[in-house]
Amino acid sequence: MKNEIQFRCVLPNGIHARPASHLEKVCGQFQSQINLTNLRNGNTADAKSVLALVGTDTLMNDDFILSFDGEDSQQAITILSDYINNEFPRCDEALDTLADDESVTLPQSLLRHRPTLLHGKRLAPGIGKGLLVGYRDIDLTTFITDIRHDEVTRFEQAHFQVRTSLEQKANSASGHEKEIISAHLSIINDRTFVDGIKSNLAGNSTANAILAVVEKITKQLNQSTSAYLRERVLDIRDVATQLLTAAYPSVNVNTDFTLAEPSIVIANDLTPSQFLGLDKDLLQGLVLTHAGSTSHTVILARSFNIPTLSGIEANQCTGAINSLIYLDSNLGVIATQPNEGVCRYFNRAITLSKQLNDELHTFASQPARTADGKMIEIAANIACSFEAPAAFEKGAEGIGLFRTEMLFMERSKAPDEDEQFGYYREALEVAADKPVIIRTIDIGGDKPIDYLNLPQENNPFLGYRAVRIYPEFLALFHTQLRAILRAAVHGNAKIMIPMIQSIEEIRWVKQQLEIVKEQLAQESLAFSAEVPLGIMVEIPSVAFIVDQFCKEVDFFSIGSNDMTQYLLAVDRDNASVAKLYNSLAPAFLRMLSQVVQTAHQHGRWVGLCGELGADAKVLPLLIGAGLDEISMSAPKITETKATLCKLNSEDCKTLFEQACQCPTIADVQTLLENAAANQESKPLLATECIIKPADFANKEEAIQAMVGNLGLVGRTDNAYELEEDVWAREEVFSTGLGHGFAIPHTKSENIRCSSISIAHLSQPIDWQSDSGDVDFIIMLTLNKAHADQHMRIFSTLARKLIHQSFRDQLRASKDDTEIIAMLESELAI
């Protein structure tokens, strides 16, 4: 008797070694023959073989069939159905790759030292310093030897040795390391792999038998359409190397690679085992010439915080082998043959980077609150459950928007109830008691789905989409509601309905919820009957009857993108009118005020989803509006919490009220620029901006350190760009004034809080040939909104510094507060 069940692959990286090893273990419990067939390409494989499963090239959103043939088929179907729906989706996670699509400004404080730089692709962030060491590639053909009479015994002993070693390592490992070692353990135990080698042993050496299987599998993986699966070739090579080394202990292939001092390793390919074998205390960086962002070695490098680049060939670095280099994955460069100035630049950059990372990391675990104690929930927007763990690691206090339509797209039919149940449950379990707002499918408009056969529309954004299609596809809507209610037993779930524009619509939705609850109760299925219900506020009509909606729903979430688009009648994707799209329009701000105030009067909660809340300049307006929650993409959360803690809620409220009275967008922007210049009530002069005594070797290092310090204390969000602005002014004319003083300065939009930075050097440095040595630097970095103040302070300082008594008094100041008091008095600030 033959049976089949069909599923859809929801794994973000497809079925590769790690999830395949999980599936293989479950299938291995049964006597029946179990095969997996990928319906996209027709590839069929033994589901009890990890490598065979990987070879099906099953990618995310591929439909596949599991077929069963044997006496325990029905039991296998029951177990596998539950496993695929509920457990299998949690066998992998979306990769937190480092974006490398943004240009990076190389700082002048580095370039002016004329460094020798090689540019690469950024894979894992950070800055490293060490001896450049070339990893010796192992030529597997070295193991080819004469055939012995006991080749089967040789292989079996090697297989036992490697398997035992991997088991021991897996037992002591954790996180990504444990997962990857476990995947290698699955390969070494894989029956396709083992049986393939054994079948080749007849009249052949163990080495040749292993290499033949490796070649076959490698060819199969290299034909995959997925870069992720193609990169699994390195894992096969890794396991094969371990087997060959164990089988031929007398063959000297120099597999031992020991770091003797802090080093940066360059390799064509570095297997996970080779990486794990390196001393992480001495490994300061990696240059993997051909690695991709989803390489298991790169994943491990990120987890161990090892900065990593690719795209740099080994022959480009030949002259730098065994010499000191710097690797800066933030800038995407390695610096070879560094001179003294380059060394000092990177040494200080390493220190600044560590200080900044330590500072930001503290905010991930802290509650989101303003300086005066006002709490506001900072949540994450996600499109799939796999994003949830990373979001909470970044400090998310909930999921403000779970876009469920991604589960329905790019497939031949809608997911069934059990698949959705497992999908939602996973996110809720990760969130524990934190809220997860699950938005029902927002399909149509710019997100059509083929299997629903929705009509073509001239203006789909205003047409048949979201809640408007639910009555026609009632079974689809009921299935999603059932899945959410069932999953809600496992966490703090909330349901949110998109594109609501009338009371009639939400009442109809509530009727459907009651119908579904009654069905679940009759079927004796566990579900939560008290899941809060809310709506997206994205259609302007809702803003005028919020009081009526307060009688129907528990909360509101303002969709900043769509509401701006609909309120201003601007298609944000239309290049001809996109310039009119701006959420700082006074009309949008007044709408925001209307919704929040009315909802709060009726005891209802209001959030806002979209990237608007991640804009540091706009954040004070949102706080001032009185929002209870703001959600955004996960990478922005930590910085947003760091910005939030420096704001005063009452000041934000005043700012928002002023913005609502502005007649134009330009007026609002000017208001925000002025506020940003005075944000956090930070004074122009503060001890946090004084470096005394300062140990700088040159002008470049002085500017790098002083601008970098502004980043550390939260006065700039982009130190690279701010430094570029300072140097742009310096290029026009030297800011050295003579008598040992210099006043570098700029008016910049890259300074959050206008600042006067001071450095009293322990030893003078050459500033410019015509201005002589400098031992006292006063750097002005003022927001463009303070243009008048900029010129007044600069000119006043220049006049004061003509007088020796003023200069002597500054130099003789015993502490930072004395310097600040003196300058405040003399500059009248």
Side-chain angles (χ1 to χ4, degrees), residues 51-175:
L51 293 178
L53 287 169
V54 172
T56 63
D57 191 25
T58 301
L59 310 180
M60 184 178 183
N61 293 325
D62 278 355
D63 290 315
F64 65 90
I65 287 175
L66 285 178
S67 58
F68 304 79
D69 190 0
E71 293 183 0
D72 56 359
S73 289
Q74 290 305 310
Q75 181 186 4
I77 288 174
T78 300
I79 298 297
L80 264 297
S81 293
D82 179 70
Y83 173 77
I84 294 290
N85 283 320
N86 300 317
E87 301 299 327
F88 195 50
R90 291 184 280 182
C91 292
D92 199 19
E93 60 186 15
L95 297 173
D96 183 18
T97 58
L98 180 65
D100 197 40
D101 53 359
E102 297 180 3
S103 60
V104 178
T105 299
L106 294 179
Q108 286 293 318
S109 53
L110 169 62
L111 295 179
R112 288 167 65 92
H113 292 299
R114 300 185 180 280
T116 301
L117 301 178
L118 296 174
H119 298 262
K121 180 181 179 182
R122 297 174 291 158
L123 295 179
I127 309 175
K129 166 189 176 182
L131 206 69
L132 181 63
V133 180
Y135 200 99
R136 295 179 295 272
D137 290 333
I138 298 176
D139 181 4
L140 297 187
T141 61
T142 303
F143 291 97
I144 297 177
T145 59
D146 295 335
I147 303 172
R148 296 189 335 198
H149 69 280
D150 59 346
E151 290 295 336
V152 172
T153 301
R154 186 208 295 265
F155 169 70
E156 289 178 344
Q157 290 176 342
H159 182 269
F160 175 80
Q161 180 180 330
V162 174
R163 184 185 67 200
T164 302
S165 174
L166 287 173
E167 287 173 345
Q168 292 172 347
K169 291 177 181 177
N171 289 335
S172 60
S174 61

Side-chain angles (χ1 to χ4, degrees), residues 179-207:
E179 282 291 306
I180 292 170
I181 293 174
S182 296
H184 287 188
L185 189 58
S186 295
I187 293 173
I188 200 71
N189 288 327
D190 185 82
R191 66 187 192 184
T192 297
F193 185 67
V194 174
D195 290 349
I197 294 172
K198 286 183 175 180
S199 66
N200 284 328
L201 284 174
N204 213 343
S205 69
T206 296

Side-chain angles (χ1 to χ4, degrees), residues 615-628:
D615 187 328
K617 289 184 178 179
V618 179
L619 184 61
L621 286 182
L622 305 181
I623 303 303
L627 288 163
D628 302 288

Side-chain angles (χ1 to χ4, degrees), residues 504-555:
E504 290 87 345
E505 284 176 329
I506 196 61
R507 286 179 177 173
W508 178 84
V509 167
K510 292 169 70 176
Q511 290 173 358
Q512 306 314 306
L513 264 171
E514 293 307 312
I515 291 171
V516 166
K517 290 176 183 178
E518 186 176 346
Q519 292 174 349
L520 292 171
Q522 290 177 350
E523 297 170 28
S524 298
L525 290 173
F527 72 97
S528 176
E530 302 299 329
V531 178
L533 176 67
I535 65 169
M536 289 284 292
V537 180
E538 50 197 337
I539 297 179
S541 61
V542 173
F544 295 97
I545 52 173
V546 171
D547 58 332
Q548 297 299 322
F549 274 104
C550 287
K551 302 173 184 177
E552 306 291 341
V553 301
D554 302 297
F555 67 93

Side-chain angles (χ1 to χ4, degrees), residues 409-410 443-450 454:
M409 299 175 71
E410 297 182 5
I443 290 171
D446 60 335
K447 292 171 282 194
I449 291 181
D450 291 340
L454 295 173

Side-chain angles (χ1 to χ4, degrees), residues 3 20 157 175 189 215 317 377 549 590 597 615 683 725 745 773 816:
N3 301 280
Q157 290 176 342
N189 288 327
E215 182 179 0
C317 306
E377 184 179 310
F549 274 104
R590 291 190 180 193
Q597 288 186 29
D615 187 328
D725 293 338
H745 57 281
D773 289 348
D816 297 347

